[in-house]
């Protein structure tokens, strides 16, 4: 187990190398400060450690902007000093008060914690959900079909289908066909639209549906793309969901091929942007997240829709792209 002193040294070293000059000066001050005791509940100390870990990880990954780096310095101050008289009230509230509010909310709606606190909670639960996959996303079923999806994302999909009333939904990466069936059922309730789903493999016992068509082949193969272009509707929205090969190069090729097919106001959803440390599967290697960020940097007429991530847990962070032009 790492000692508290060693942890302090690690924090100071990491921050001194990576944060802005203001934070560096704060950490230098901390190095000369004696630790203070705390009468806070036991869970608060665990929470402080969690926040510190999550924030430093986010800082290294470049996910925190300049104002959040200032908050980071304050939270490190609170962790190293303990919650006591010397800690500013605002800092103590950010570390322990926010969590106390979540443990014992005073009415509804409760105020959302500061962004770094929220991120610490969400990323920690996200890793739990992702890493114990045999009891979570790999044990998710729709009408008896195994469906490797997060239920909160499937709920967002049904909202998009209801709002857009798409004439065509294109899905790459079929697997057993559970999500394709889900989408076809949602279209059936509207009495409108078709689903085309593509995969390189044919799985046995895939469900049949009058609004569902299976294509076999690479999602970026010219034969598959030619078939899809020939079936584009003359009117109505086209919604695209990318869930095939999760390597950066393949996703980049899919984005280039399918973005022009999406209608203005509709969505291009890039799934599994959570891998490669965003925040799960850090050893995955560059994948959907990296491809999506590069795609957006090219100003292709899409914007991230944060409302599609409002349930906090999504396997597609920054992957819900709405076409604006």
């Amino acid at each position: 187990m790492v000692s508290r002193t060693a942890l302090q040294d690690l924090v100071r070293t990491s921050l001194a190398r990576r944060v802005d000059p203001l934070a560096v000066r704060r950490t230098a001050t901390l190095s000369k400060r004696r630790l203070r005791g705390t009468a806070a509940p036991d869970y608060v100390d665990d929470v402080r450690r969690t926040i510190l870990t999550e924030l430093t990880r986010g800082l290294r990954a470049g996910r925190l902007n300049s104002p959040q780096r200032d908050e980071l310095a304050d939270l490190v101050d609170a962790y190293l000093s303990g919650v006591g008289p010397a800690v500013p009230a605002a800092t103590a509230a950010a570390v322990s008060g926010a969590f106390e509010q979540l443990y014992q909310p005073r009415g509804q709606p409760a105020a959302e914690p500061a962004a770094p606190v929220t991120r610490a909670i969400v990323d920690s639960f996200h890793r739990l959900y992702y890493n114990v996959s045999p009891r979570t996303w790999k044990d998710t079923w729709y009408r008896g079909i195994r469906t490797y999806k997060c239920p909160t994302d499937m709920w967002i999909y049904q909202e998009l289908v209801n709002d857009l009333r798409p004439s065509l939904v294109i899905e790459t990466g079929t697997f057993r066909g559970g999500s394709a069936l889900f989408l076809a059922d949602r279209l059936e309730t509207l009495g409108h639209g078709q689903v085309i789903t593509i995969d390189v493999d044919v799985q046995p016992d895939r469900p049949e549906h009058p609004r569902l068509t299976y294509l076999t082949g690479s999602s970026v193969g010219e034969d598959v793309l030619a078939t899809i272009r020939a079936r584009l509707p003359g009117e109505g929205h086209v919604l695209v969901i990318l869930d095939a090969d999760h390597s950066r190069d393949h996703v980049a090729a899919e984005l280039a091929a399918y973005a022009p097919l999406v209608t203005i106001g509709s969505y291009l959803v890039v799934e599994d942007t959570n891998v490669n440390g965003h925040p799960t599967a850090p050893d995955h290697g560059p994948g959907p997240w990296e491809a999506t960020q590069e795609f957006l940097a090219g100003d292709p007429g899409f914007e991230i829709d944060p409302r599609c991530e409002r349930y906090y847990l999504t396997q597609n962070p920054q992957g819900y792209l709405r076409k604006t032009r």
Side-chain angles (χ1 to χ4, degrees), residues 14 16-17 25 35 47 105 125 129 137 162 174 203 208 229 288 312 318:
S14 298
R17 289 174 178 170
R25 289 197 298 273
L35 292 173
V47 161
F125 179 71
Y129 178 87
W137 57 278
N162 185 74
T174 307
Q203 299 284 344
E208 298 294 327
R229 293 188 190 108
Y312 297 111
Q318 298 196 26

Side-chain angles (χ1 to χ4, degrees), residues 25-316:
R25 289 197 298 273
R26 286 174 176 171
T27 55
T29 300
L30 288 174
S31 67
K32 302 174 184 178
R33 184 178 297 171
R34 293 176 58 86
L35 292 173
R36 299 178 184 273
T38 176
D42 290 342
Y43 70 78
V44 172
D45 194 53
D46 292 337
V47 161
R48 289 203 302 265
R49 284 194 296 271
T50 300
I51 294 172
L52 179 61
T53 300
E54 297 300 330
L55 291 177
T56 52
R57 181 182 288 112
L59 186 67
R60 287 193 293 271
R63 294 199 302 267
L64 301 179
N65 59 29
S66 182
Q68 288 173 317
R69 287 201 297 272
D70 292 342
E71 282 190 85
L72 171 61
D74 287 338
L75 292 171
V76 172
D77 188 319
Y79 173 78
L80 295 177
S81 301
V83 179
V87 179
T91 301
V95 180
S96 59
F99 280 88
E100 182 182 356
Q101 174 71 6
L102 294 177
Y103 274 79
Q104 299 175 329
R106 301 176 181 87
Q108 289 287 339
E112 186 173 22
V117 176
T118 300
R119 190 78 264 148
I121 299 171
V122 171
D123 284 0
S124 293
F125 179 71
H126 195 145
R127 292 189 190 93
L128 172 65
Y129 178 87
Y130 188 87
N131 292 333
V132 296
S133 58
R135 64 164 288 171
T136 54
W137 57 278
K138 288 186 178 179
D139 193 21
T140 300
W141 303 75
Y142 177 71
R143 289 181 56 187
I145 309 297
R146 190 184 296 274
T147 306
Y148 282 1
K149 291 284 186 289
C150 179
T152 55
D153 288 318
M154 294 184 73
W155 188 266
I156 293 297
Y157 288 168
Q158 65 84 26
E159 288 188 351
L160 294 180
V161 168
N162 185 74
D163 293 344
L164 295 169
R165 298 180 63 87
S167 297
L168 178 63
V169 179
I170 303 170
E171 176 194 59
T172 69
T174 307
F175 189 47
R176 297 288 185 180
S179 57
L181 178 63
F182 174 81
L183 293 165
D185 279 348
R186 304 286 68 73
L187 293 175
E188 184 66 23
T189 64
L190 300 176
H192 176 75
Q194 294 287 324
V195 177
I196 297 177
T197 184
I198 308 122
D199 205 301
V200 293
D201 298 318
V202 177
Q203 299 284 344
D205 302 322
R206 279 176 175 162
E208 298 294 327
H209 194 287
R211 296 187 182 276
L212 175 58
T213 299
Y214 295 101
L215 295 182
T216 302
S218 169
S219 58
V220 293
E222 190 49 48
D223 55 340
V224 167
L225 291 172
T227 300
I228 290 174
R229 293 188 190 108
R231 298 189 184 187
L232 290 174
E235 59 183 17
H237 279 302
V238 175
L239 169 67
V240 175
I241 300 171
L242 304 181
D243 187 28
D245 182 335
H246 295 330
S247 66
R248 176 176 55 192
D249 290 348
H250 185 85
V251 177
E254 284 188 321
L255 286 165
Y258 288 93
L261 309 185
V262 179
T263 50
I264 294 176
S266 188
Y267 286 75
L268 174 59
V269 182
V270 185
E271 293 207 346
D272 297 288
T273 47
N274 59 340
V275 300
N276 200 38
H278 308 290
T280 64
D283 298 329
H284 179 278
W289 172 284
E290 288 73 21
T292 301
Q293 296 301 308
E294 292 171 4
F295 172 73
L296 291 172
D299 192 26
F302 287 82
E303 64 182 15
I304 297 167
D305 186 349
R307 188 171 181 272
C308 294
E309 302 181 42
R310 68 185 185 276
Y311 299 127
Y312 297 111
L313 178 63
T314 173
Q315 291 187 218
N316 316 323

